[in-house]
Amino acid sequence: MNQELRETLVLLSRTPKALDALLRDLPDALTMRTEGEGTWTAYDVVGHLIHGELTDWIPRTKRLLEFGESKAFDKFDRTAQERESRGKTLGQLLDEFAKLRAKNIQEISGMKLKAEDLERKGMHPSLGTVTLGNLLSTWAAHDMTHLHQVSRILAHQYREQVGPWTVYLGVLQCNGHSS
Amino acid sequence: MNQELRETLVLLSRTPKALDALLRDLPDALTMRTEGEGTWTAYDVVGHLIHGELTDWIPRTKRLLEFGESKAFDKFDRTAQERESRGKTLGQLLDEFAKLRAKNIQEISGMKLKAEDLERKGMHPSLGTVTLGNLLSTWAAHDMTHLHQVSRILAHQYREQVGPWTVYLGVLQCNGHSS
């Protein structure tokens, strides 16, 4: 397997563990609150990551390998977690995310992709031509976007309490570009 | 103990575990790279958090409880990790951070602080009057600022590889306000 891809898969294997260590059994006052109207809770983010494991990364990899640029990826539903997480606890979502991610990493590993495979092209419905390397790197960077968002959501719950320190806390200046 | 403080201590107990799950034994290509000149690696961030455990949160709490506003906190050294981390592996730093954090949470718990204690005032060398509640909330929000930073540093390593997806990845728009 390509060395860069191997490293990406290591990072991808860490996200469920990191979110679990951070969020499981935290008080609802931290995990079930948003940054304001129209923004997500940490709970919502985990549901969104699950939906990605089910419908984004692996199905798009397969589409690209099978159809190249001739058949675009299906669009990604950014609000699916509103339906799909319903009735589930955060603990259940964390378990589900970990299980799906482990299975998906195994599936990608089994493809034994080489450097030249990462140059193969597919069609994104809005962005146009992308490579398999772009897609798999985005998988990891997308995890980091949402870890970045979760840390910002949690910090937001302390916005008032930190008082004058707010000016020193970079995360409180972050304008929500990753929600 | 005050309920909000109890919740804050739960979050504070999670940060070492989350960073450990994310970073331990990750390839150096992720943990030892910065976002560019004058910025930190994930390794640097863990060293900075250790220095906070040693010189910031607990010593400032004690200063405030002993002297109120009459004696300002010592200034915090934001580059101490450049000296103090020297020769240590990331694994050693993660162990040290976890150990110090656990000890410090135990120390705060032992103080049995009540709601009225959180209103007690101290003197920050630049920000002026702050309360104990501000200080302890900042401890947690500061953790989140640096988790936010670490996720951004890791995402940065994929900046080129994600190709056209860069426009959708909020973390790549983050301008480093938390470094």
Side-chain angles (χ1 to χ4, degrees):
Chain A
M1 197 196 308
N2 171 270
Q3 168 68 9
E4 260 181 29
L5 178 56
R6 195 190 307 273
E7 295 186 350
T8 300
L9 293 181
V10 175
L11 180 55
L12 284 166
S13 74
R14 303 305 182 82
T15 314
K17 296 184 178 88
L19 286 173
D20 197 293
L22 185 63
L23 298 177
R24 188 180 292 266
D25 299 326
L26 265 197
D28 285 358
L30 292 167
T31 58
M32 300 306 278
R33 290 206 186 140
T34 68
E35 296 175 89
E37 212 184 313
T39 67
W40 290 359
T41 62
Y43 174 92
D44 294 330
V45 172
V46 181
H48 166 76
L49 290 168
I50 287 172
H51 192 68
E53 294 308 298
L54 291 168
T55 70
D56 191 330
W57 316 107
I58 297 288
R60 286 181 170 188
T61 295
K62 290 180 176 168
R63 175 73 54 92
L64 181 151
L65 291 173
E66 189 174 353
F67 295 97
E69 292 170 88
S70 69
K71 189 173 175 184
F73 306 145
D74 296 335
K75 288 200 173 183
F76 183 78
D77 181 355
R78 289 189 76 261
T79 61
Q81 68 281 356
E82 292 170 17
R83 302 184 305 278
E84 295 176 359
S85 298
R86 206 166 287 154
K88 296 178 184 167
T89 65
L90 176 57
Q92 287 172 316
L93 295 184
L94 289 164
D95 288 341
E96 197 174 336
F97 178 43
K99 208 167 129 182
L100 290 168
R101 174 58 59 88
K103 180 177 152 286
N104 286 344
I105 290 175
Q106 206 172 15
E107 187 152 1
I108 292 285
S109 300
M111 293 180 188
K112 308 209 180 301
L113 298 166
K114 292 184 179 49
E116 59 265 31
D117 293 317
L118 300 181
E119 299 304 318
R120 291 176 66 175
K121 287 174 181 163
M123 184 59 63
H124 186 282
S126 319
L127 299 171
T129 300
V130 293
T131 67
L132 180 56
N134 294 154
L135 175 63
L136 297 175
S137 297
T138 298
W139 191 6
H142 177 265
D143 273 14
M144 293 304 106
T145 269
H146 288 292
L147 185 58
H148 177 263
Q149 179 185 16
V150 164
S151 59
R152 198 185 61 226
I153 299 168
L154 297 178
H156 177 78
Q157 312 314 320
Y158 290 94
R159 190 171 287 277
E160 299 306 318
Q161 291 104 294
V162 299
W165 263 288
T166 187
V167 295
Y168 286 171
L169 292 163
V171 68
L172 297 178
Q173 326 305 326
C174 188
N175 64 5
H177 38 232
S178 64
S179 68
Chain B
M1 199 197 304
N2 172 269
Q3 167 67 7
E4 261 181 27
L5 177 57
R6 193 190 310 270
E7 296 185 350
T8 300
L9 293 181
V10 175
L11 179 56
L12 285 167
S13 73
R14 300 306 181 83
T15 313
K17 296 184 178 87
L19 286 172
D20 196 292
L22 185 64
L23 298 175
R24 188 181 292 265
D25 298 325
L26 264 197
D28 285 359
L30 291 167
T31 59
M32 300 305 280
R33 291 205 185 141
T34 67
E35 297 175 272
E37 211 185 314
T39 67
W40 291 0
T41 62
Y43 174 92
D44 294 331
V45 172
V46 181
H48 166 77
L49 289 168
I50 288 172
H51 193 67
E53 295 307 299
L54 290 168
T55 70
D56 190 331
W57 316 105
I58 297 288
R60 286 181 171 189
T61 295
K62 290 179 175 168
R63 175 73 53 92
L64 182 152
L65 291 173
E66 189 173 353
F67 294 98
E69 292 169 88
S70 70
K71 188 172 175 184
F73 306 145
D74 296 336
K75 288 199 175 187
F76 184 78
D77 181 355
R78 290 189 74 264
T79 62
Q81 68 279 357
E82 292 170 16
R83 303 185 304 277
E84 295 177 359
S85 299
R86 206 166 286 157
K88 295 178 184 168
T89 64
L90 177 56
Q92 288 173 316
L93 294 183
L94 288 165
D95 289 340
E96 195 173 337
F97 178 44
K99 207 167 129 184
L100 290 167
R101 173 60 57 90
K103 179 177 153 286
N104 285 345
I105 289 175
Q106 204 173 17
E107 186 150 2
I108 292 286
S109 300
M111 293 180 189
K112 307 206 182 302
L113 298 167
K114 293 185 180 51
E116 60 265 32
D117 293 317
L118 300 181
E119 300 305 318
R120 291 175 66 173
K121 288 173 179 160
M123 185 58 62
H124 186 284
S126 319
L127 298 171
T129 300
V130 292
T131 67
L132 181 56
N134 295 153
L135 175 64
L136 298 174
S137 297
T138 297
W139 192 5
H142 177 264
D143 274 13
M144 293 303 107
T145 268
H146 288 292
L147 185 58
H148 177 261
Q149 180 185 16
V150 165
S151 59
R152 198 184 62 227
I153 299 168
L154 297 179
H156 177 79
Q157 311 314 321
Y158 291 93
R159 190 172 287 277
E160 299 306 319
Q161 291 105 294
V162 300
W165 263 289
T166 186
V167 294
Y168 287 172
L169 293 164
V171 68
L172 297 177
Q173 325 307 327
C174 189
N175 65 5
H177 37 232
S178 63
S179 68

